[in-house]
Amino acid sequence: MDKYVCTLCGYVYDPEAGDPDNGVAPGTKWEDVPEDWECPVCGASKDDFEKEE
């Protein structure tokens, strides 16, 4: 599964780990992360993330 990086702070969303502290279960693909989810580090929106190369 692809990882996605916050372009503002560098936080990496790893689908295998998810973001359980913010309601995203481990194993959740990026496409399935809620649109209103925010970066847990800086609060950026999902639109501020890019696929990790």
Side-chain angles (χ1 to χ4, degrees):
M1 286 190 272
D2 293 320
K3 296 179 182 178
Y4 285 78
V5 182
C6 178
T7 59
L8 302 181
C9 75
Y11 169 82
V12 177
Y13 175 77
D14 180 352
E16 290 183 20
D19 183 19
D21 291 343
N22 293 294
V24 180
T28 302
K29 292 186 230 173
W30 181 249
E31 299 76 36
D32 298 330
V33 172
E35 288 303 316
D36 62 352
W37 177 83
E38 296 178 343
C39 176
V41 175
C42 73
S45 72
K46 221 178 139 180
D47 292 339
D48 292 313
F49 281 72
E50 293 180 347
K51 186 189 283 191
E52 186 176 62
E53 296 299 321

